[in-house]
Amino acid sequence: WGHANTSLTSDFSNAAVSQKVMDVEISEIVDASLFYIHDSANNKLEEINNKLADFDESAPKLEPPIRKGTKCVAKFSVDECWYRGIVEKTLGGGEYQVRFADYGNTEKLSVDDMRKVGKDHLAHPFQAQKCQLAYVNVPRALDDEDVGAQAAFFLRELAWGQPVKAKVIEKDENQTLRVLLTDKSGNQNFNLKMVENGFASLERNVAKDLDDYTDWDNAEMIAKQKAIGVWEGGAFSDEDDEDDE
């Protein structure tokens, strides 16, 4: 995963993150293996965007060399508004892959649509927190029709556009949160739903310590027997699953 600058990137401190339960909304689903959330209790988006609404387009452009990790203000092509961004990749020809740091979505942009960011626009941490589903392995989306894309669509159907809860299981060295997602009531476990529908396999070396591990194990066994999702196309195999034990 990309490098994260903890001084700006997140409101989530390293201390006492594990087991924290948050009311969140998902701001971007890259695929089922990577998504971004907004913490409803610490949401500064309105304040940040109100300040950017008056952004002066004549502000200085970025000067070369423009490297991965460079912070900027970037114009989003859909609404032509300015948002805080981070350069993720140099594409050549004066174009860059930029992640809109308060949402998580990316876009290929010309240097003409990127500006230097002043300290006044860096007063708050970036609002989009990078996440992965805890206890499970999920396939990446390599094209629009593979099982990874189906898994991403299923996660979107479960969690998009509504308040959900995220229980933080751990925070890795790249500042990515491994979370257990549920509906707002906490009754519907989205990670387990992914397993039940064949869109995830158990990460057994971690999941085996769950109090309800038997439910997870049975859900995976039934999905295998039905040969659905990852078990149908061979994206995962029994051998891969056993390697986690």
Side-chain angles (χ1 to χ4, degrees), residues 66 87-98 107-114:
I66 302 172
V87 175
E88 289 200 328
K89 189 185 298 184
T90 300
L91 302 174
E95 292 188 320
Y96 302 85
Q97 179 173 300
V98 175
E107 187 170 22
K108 181 174 72 173
L109 294 177
S110 164
V111 69
D112 293 333
D113 292 324
M114 301 159 63

PDB file of all heavy atoms in Angstrom, residues 66 87-98 107-114:
ATOM      1  N   ILE A  66       7.914  16.300  -9.569  1.00  0.00           N
ATOM      2  CA  ILE A  66       6.726  15.973  -8.783  1.00  0.00           C
ATOM      3  C   ILE A  66       6.791  14.491  -8.458  1.00  0.00           C
ATOM      4  O   ILE A  66       6.723  13.651  -9.357  1.00  0.00           O
ATOM      5  CB  ILE A  66       5.437  16.313  -9.556  1.00  0.00           C
ATOM      6  CG1 ILE A  66       5.429  17.815  -9.918  1.00  0.00           C
ATOM      7  CG2 ILE A  66       4.213  15.952  -8.727  1.00  0.00           C
ATOM      8  CD1 ILE A  66       4.302  18.206 -10.847  1.00  0.00           C
ATOM      9  N   VAL A  87      -0.192  12.805  -4.795  1.00  0.00           N
ATOM     10  CA  VAL A  87       0.302  12.137  -6.004  1.00  0.00           C
ATOM     11  C   VAL A  87       0.650  10.691  -5.657  1.00  0.00           C
ATOM     12  O   VAL A  87       1.427  10.424  -4.737  1.00  0.00           O
ATOM     13  CB  VAL A  87       1.535  12.861  -6.572  1.00  0.00           C
ATOM     14  CG1 VAL A  87       2.105  12.088  -7.761  1.00  0.00           C
ATOM     15  CG2 VAL A  87       1.172  14.288  -6.980  1.00  0.00           C
ATOM     16  N   GLU A  88       0.051   9.747  -6.401  1.00  0.00           N
ATOM     17  CA  GLU A  88       0.330   8.333  -6.175  1.00  0.00           C
ATOM     18  C   GLU A  88       1.293   7.753  -7.195  1.00  0.00           C
ATOM     19  O   GLU A  88       2.000   6.788  -6.911  1.00  0.00           O
ATOM     20  CB  GLU A  88      -0.974   7.521  -6.200  1.00  0.00           C
ATOM     21  CG  GLU A  88      -1.865   7.744  -4.995  1.00  0.00           C
ATOM     22  CD  GLU A  88      -2.857   6.629  -4.798  1.00  0.00           C
ATOM     23  OE1 GLU A  88      -3.290   6.036  -5.815  1.00  0.00           O
ATOM     24  OE2 GLU A  88      -3.211   6.356  -3.639  1.00  0.00           O
ATOM     25  N   LYS A  89       1.296   8.328  -8.412  1.00  0.00           N
ATOM     26  CA  LYS A  89       2.117   7.743  -9.465  1.00  0.00           C
ATOM     27  C   LYS A  89       2.389   8.784 -10.541  1.00  0.00           C
ATOM     28  O   LYS A  89       1.519   9.588 -10.872  1.00  0.00           O
ATOM     29  CB  LYS A  89       1.394   6.539 -10.075  1.00  0.00           C
ATOM     30  CG  LYS A  89       2.205   5.703 -11.040  1.00  0.00           C
ATOM     31  CD  LYS A  89       1.351   4.610 -11.672  1.00  0.00           C
ATOM     32  CE  LYS A  89       0.812   3.644 -10.630  1.00  0.00           C
ATOM     33  NZ  LYS A  89       0.061   2.521 -11.267  1.00  0.00           N
ATOM     34  N   THR A  90       3.603   8.738 -11.085  1.00  0.00           N
ATOM     35  CA  THR A  90       3.940   9.562 -12.238  1.00  0.00           C
ATOM     36  C   THR A  90       3.659   8.758 -13.501  1.00  0.00           C
ATOM     37  O   THR A  90       4.166   7.642 -13.653  1.00  0.00           O
ATOM     38  CB  THR A  90       5.428   9.966 -12.209  1.00  0.00           C
ATOM     39  OG1 THR A  90       5.682  10.715 -11.021  1.00  0.00           O
ATOM     40  CG2 THR A  90       5.786  10.814 -13.412  1.00  0.00           C
ATOM     41  N   LEU A  91       2.848   9.305 -14.403  1.00  0.00           N
ATOM     42  CA  LEU A  91       2.420   8.568 -15.588  1.00  0.00           C
ATOM     43  C   LEU A  91       3.176   8.980 -16.847  1.00  0.00           C
ATOM     44  O   LEU A  91       3.100   8.310 -17.865  1.00  0.00           O
ATOM     45  CB  LEU A  91       0.917   8.762 -15.806  1.00  0.00           C
ATOM     46  CG  LEU A  91       0.028   8.337 -14.632  1.00  0.00           C
ATOM     47  CD1 LEU A  91      -1.423   8.704 -14.908  1.00  0.00           C
ATOM     48  CD2 LEU A  91       0.156   6.840 -14.367  1.00  0.00           C
ATOM     49  N   GLY A  92       3.893  10.096 -16.778  1.00  0.00           N
ATOM     50  CA  GLY A  92       4.619  10.594 -17.941  1.00  0.00           C
ATOM     51  C   GLY A  92       3.780  11.569 -18.742  1.00  0.00           C
ATOM     52  O   GLY A  92       2.551  11.602 -18.638  1.00  0.00           O
ATOM     53  N   GLY A  93       4.448  12.373 -19.547  1.00  0.00           N
ATOM     54  CA  GLY A  93       3.732  13.324 -20.381  1.00  0.00           C
ATOM     55  C   GLY A  93       3.022  14.404 -19.590  1.00  0.00           C
ATOM     56  O   GLY A  93       2.010  14.949 -20.048  1.00  0.00           O
ATOM     57  N   GLY A  94       3.525  14.709 -18.397  1.00  0.00           N
ATOM     58  CA  GLY A  94       2.897  15.731 -17.576  1.00  0.00           C
ATOM     59  C   GLY A  94       1.615  15.291 -16.904  1.00  0.00           C
ATOM     60  O   GLY A  94       0.819  16.128 -16.464  1.00  0.00           O
ATOM     61  N   GLU A  95       1.396  13.967 -16.802  1.00  0.00           N
ATOM     62  CA  GLU A  95       0.189  13.438 -16.156  1.00  0.00           C
ATOM     63  C   GLU A  95       0.562  12.610 -14.933  1.00  0.00           C
ATOM     64  O   GLU A  95       1.613  11.961 -14.895  1.00  0.00           O
ATOM     65  CB  GLU A  95      -0.630  12.609 -17.135  1.00  0.00           C
ATOM     66  CG  GLU A  95      -1.257  13.439 -18.253  1.00  0.00           C
ATOM     67  CD  GLU A  95      -2.218  12.634 -19.089  1.00  0.00           C
ATOM     68  OE1 GLU A  95      -1.911  11.450 -19.369  1.00  0.00           O
ATOM     69  OE2 GLU A  95      -3.259  13.172 -19.485  1.00  0.00           O
ATOM     70  N   TYR A  96      -0.357  12.609 -13.950  1.00  0.00           N
ATOM     71  CA  TYR A  96      -0.115  11.945 -12.678  1.00  0.00           C
ATOM     72  C   TYR A  96      -1.392  11.271 -12.193  1.00  0.00           C
ATOM     73  O   TYR A  96      -2.501  11.751 -12.467  1.00  0.00           O
ATOM     74  CB  TYR A  96       0.367  12.955 -11.626  1.00  0.00           C
ATOM     75  CG  TYR A  96       1.626  13.668 -12.037  1.00  0.00           C
ATOM     76  CD1 TYR A  96       1.572  14.815 -12.840  1.00  0.00           C
ATOM     77  CD2 TYR A  96       2.863  13.186 -11.651  1.00  0.00           C
ATOM     78  CE1 TYR A  96       2.730  15.462 -13.239  1.00  0.00           C
ATOM     79  CE2 TYR A  96       4.037  13.833 -12.049  1.00  0.00           C
ATOM     80  CZ  TYR A  96       3.954  14.964 -12.845  1.00  0.00           C
ATOM     81  OH  TYR A  96       5.103  15.595 -13.258  1.00  0.00           O
ATOM     82  N   GLN A  97      -1.214  10.170 -11.475  1.00  0.00           N
ATOM     83  CA  GLN A  97      -2.357   9.571 -10.776  1.00  0.00           C
ATOM     84  C   GLN A  97      -2.435  10.218  -9.406  1.00  0.00           C
ATOM     85  O   GLN A  97      -1.488  10.154  -8.620  1.00  0.00           O
ATOM     86  CB  GLN A  97      -2.190   8.067 -10.636  1.00  0.00           C
ATOM     87  CG  GLN A  97      -3.361   7.402  -9.896  1.00  0.00           C
ATOM     88  CD  GLN A  97      -3.268   5.898  -9.903  1.00  0.00           C
ATOM     89  OE1 GLN A  97      -3.266   5.275 -10.952  1.00  0.00           O
ATOM     90  NE2 GLN A  97      -3.192   5.299  -8.712  1.00  0.00           N
ATOM     91  N   VAL A  98      -3.572  10.855  -9.131  1.00  0.00           N
ATOM     92  CA  VAL A  98      -3.756  11.596  -7.885  1.00  0.00           C
ATOM     93  C   VAL A  98      -4.911  10.983  -7.103  1.00  0.00           C
ATOM     94  O   VAL A  98      -5.980  10.694  -7.663  1.00  0.00           O
ATOM     95  CB  VAL A  98      -4.058  13.086  -8.171  1.00  0.00           C
ATOM     96  CG1 VAL A  98      -4.373  13.830  -6.873  1.00  0.00           C
ATOM     97  CG2 VAL A  98      -2.869  13.744  -8.883  1.00  0.00           C
ATOM     98  N   GLU A 107      -7.736   9.770  -9.805  1.00  0.00           N
ATOM     99  CA  GLU A 107      -7.981  10.231 -11.168  1.00  0.00           C
ATOM    100  C   GLU A 107      -6.641  10.559 -11.829  1.00  0.00           C
ATOM    101  O   GLU A 107      -5.695  10.979 -11.153  1.00  0.00           O
ATOM    102  CB  GLU A 107      -8.882  11.470 -11.177  1.00  0.00           C
ATOM    103  CG  GLU A 107      -9.305  11.882 -12.576  1.00  0.00           C
ATOM    104  CD  GLU A 107     -10.385  12.964 -12.566  1.00  0.00           C
ATOM    105  OE1 GLU A 107     -10.519  13.679 -11.551  1.00  0.00           O
ATOM    106  OE2 GLU A 107     -11.085  13.084 -13.587  1.00  0.00           O
ATOM    107  N   LYS A 108      -6.577  10.328 -13.133  1.00  0.00           N
ATOM    108  CA  LYS A 108      -5.404  10.739 -13.912  1.00  0.00           C
ATOM    109  C   LYS A 108      -5.558  12.207 -14.254  1.00  0.00           C
ATOM    110  O   LYS A 108      -6.535  12.609 -14.887  1.00  0.00           O
ATOM    111  CB  LYS A 108      -5.300   9.904 -15.194  1.00  0.00           C
ATOM    112  CG  LYS A 108      -4.094  10.262 -16.051  1.00  0.00           C
ATOM    113  CD  LYS A 108      -3.942   9.311 -17.229  1.00  0.00           C
ATOM    114  CE  LYS A 108      -5.013   9.549 -18.281  1.00  0.00           C
ATOM    115  NZ  LYS A 108      -4.770   8.737 -19.490  1.00  0.00           N
ATOM    116  N   LEU A 109      -4.584  13.016 -13.819  1.00  0.00           N
ATOM    117  CA  LEU A 109      -4.688  14.461 -13.985  1.00  0.00           C
ATOM    118  C   LEU A 109      -3.450  15.038 -14.662  1.00  0.00           C
ATOM    119  O   LEU A 109      -2.332  14.541 -14.480  1.00  0.00           O
ATOM    120  CB  LEU A 109      -4.855  15.148 -12.627  1.00  0.00           C
ATOM    121  CG  LEU A 109      -6.143  14.878 -11.850  1.00  0.00           C
ATOM    122  CD1 LEU A 109      -6.090  15.588 -10.509  1.00  0.00           C
ATOM    123  CD2 LEU A 109      -7.364  15.321 -12.640  1.00  0.00           C
ATOM    124  N   SER A 110      -3.676  16.088 -15.420  1.00  0.00           N
ATOM    125  CA  SER A 110      -2.581  16.868 -15.975  1.00  0.00           C
ATOM    126  C   SER A 110      -2.031  17.785 -14.896  1.00  0.00           C
ATOM    127  O   SER A 110      -2.754  18.213 -13.988  1.00  0.00           O
ATOM    128  CB  SER A 110      -3.075  17.700 -17.160  1.00  0.00           C
ATOM    129  OG  SER A 110      -2.161  18.725 -17.476  1.00  0.00           O
ATOM    130  N   VAL A 111      -0.764  18.115 -14.993  1.00  0.00           N
ATOM    131  CA  VAL A 111      -0.157  19.051 -14.045  1.00  0.00           C
ATOM    132  C   VAL A 111      -0.882  20.396 -14.077  1.00  0.00           C
ATOM    133  O   VAL A 111      -0.858  21.143 -13.083  1.00  0.00           O
ATOM    134  CB  VAL A 111       1.350  19.219 -14.342  1.00  0.00           C
ATOM    135  CG1 VAL A 111       1.569  19.954 -15.660  1.00  0.00           C
ATOM    136  CG2 VAL A 111       2.065  19.908 -13.196  1.00  0.00           C
ATOM    137  N   ASP A 112      -1.566  20.698 -15.172  1.00  0.00           N
ATOM    138  CA  ASP A 112      -2.322  21.953 -15.268  1.00  0.00           C
ATOM    139  C   ASP A 112      -3.504  21.987 -14.306  1.00  0.00           C
ATOM    140  O   ASP A 112      -4.028  23.073 -14.006  1.00  0.00           O
ATOM    141  CB  ASP A 112      -2.831  22.156 -16.702  1.00  0.00           C
ATOM    142  CG  ASP A 112      -1.700  22.405 -17.696  1.00  0.00           C
ATOM    143  OD1 ASP A 112      -0.650  22.921 -17.265  1.00  0.00           O
ATOM    144  OD2 ASP A 112      -1.867  22.082 -18.879  1.00  0.00           O
ATOM    145  N   ASP A 113      -3.935  20.816 -13.837  1.00  0.00           N
ATOM    146  CA  ASP A 113      -5.062  20.738 -12.907  1.00  0.00           C
ATOM    147  C   ASP A 113      -4.609  20.446 -11.485  1.00  0.00           C
ATOM    148  O   ASP A 113      -5.386  19.958 -10.658  1.00  0.00           O
ATOM    149  CB  ASP A 113      -6.056  19.667 -13.376  1.00  0.00           C
ATOM    150  CG  ASP A 113      -6.765  20.062 -14.654  1.00  0.00           C
ATOM    151  OD1 ASP A 113      -7.058  21.260 -14.824  1.00  0.00           O
ATOM    152  OD2 ASP A 113      -7.012  19.171 -15.499  1.00  0.00           O
ATOM    153  N   MET A 114      -3.360  20.768 -11.195  1.00  0.00           N
ATOM    154  CA  MET A 114      -2.787  20.544  -9.875  1.00  0.00           C
ATOM    155  C   MET A 114      -2.083  21.815  -9.407  1.00  0.00           C
ATOM    156  O   MET A 114      -1.438  22.498 -10.194  1.00  0.00           O
ATOM    157  CB  MET A 114      -1.803  19.361  -9.921  1.00  0.00           C
ATOM    158  CG  MET A 114      -2.443  18.059 -10.373  1.00  0.00           C
ATOM    159  SD  MET A 114      -1.246  16.837 -10.996  1.00  0.00           S
ATOM    160  CE  MET A 114      -0.264  16.536  -9.530  1.00  0.00           C
TER     161      MET A 114
END
